Amino acid sequence: MVLRIEKELFQWEKGRYVFLETKENEPSISCFQFYNKKSRYAPEVPVEDGKAMIPNYLLKEDLPIVALACSNDSGETQVISRREFKVLKRVRPEYYIDDDDTSKDIIYDGGVEV
């Protein structure tokens, strides 16, 4: 089983994928879990056409991203393979639009965002 990316990962990129190459006798991979050392959880991203999209919010920091290839055959997620990808530091582009808010924690106190 091979987990790969097309080119180096840079901070502030969007829409990057991890590609999966498997052989006949290897377990089927149904999803990936992605996280870095600051993550509090690892979202499951489905594998479609042999690839899974790295969550954009993980590319906002220059921290290595861990990709876990998982099987969910028995109703329980099982890690089959692991690979760590380096994210190269880059200055935030002037016209970067932050359209992903999944990494924000919003706390409401009396209906007012804090």
Side-chain angles (χ1 to χ4, degrees):
M1 177 174 309
V2 177
L3 309 178
R4 66 174 179 80
I5 54 177
E6 288 184 324
K7 65 177 186 77
E8 297 172 310
L9 296 174
F10 286 92
Q11 189 178 7
W12 305 111
E13 289 184 312
K14 293 182 180 182
R16 295 297 307 274
Y17 289 87
V18 169
F19 294 89
L20 173 67
E21 297 173 11
T22 58
K23 295 184 174 130
E24 278 185 43
N25 58 350
E26 294 179 322
S28 65
I29 302 300
S30 57
C31 65
F32 275 87
Q33 293 178 348
F34 295 99
Y35 64 93
N36 65 24
K37 70 178 185 179
K38 286 187 170 181
S39 296
R40 290 190 287 174
Y41 64 93
E44 286 190 359
V45 178
V47 173
E48 296 175 2
D49 299 323
K51 64 183 179 179
M53 191 169 96
I54 299 169
N56 290 331
Y57 70 88
L58 290 174
L59 292 164
K60 291 180 184 179
E61 298 179 287
D62 61 334
L63 299 173
I65 296 172
V66 176
L68 302 176
C70 302
S71 175
N72 196 351
D73 291 337
S74 61
E76 186 176 313
T77 304
Q78 181 180 5
V79 176
I80 304 299
S81 186
R82 176 190 185 279
R83 174 106 191 257
E84 187 172 292
F85 297 100
K86 184 176 181 179
V87 178
L88 299 175
K89 187 171 181 66
R90 174 179 160 201
V91 174
R92 182 178 173 147
E94 180 179 4
Y95 299 107
Y96 181 86
I97 297 172
D98 189 0
D99 55 0
D100 183 34
D101 64 355
T102 56
S103 65
K104 293 181 184 176
D105 290 328
I106 298 176
I107 301 170
Y108 291 98
D109 182 17
V112 178
E113 188 174 332
V114 181

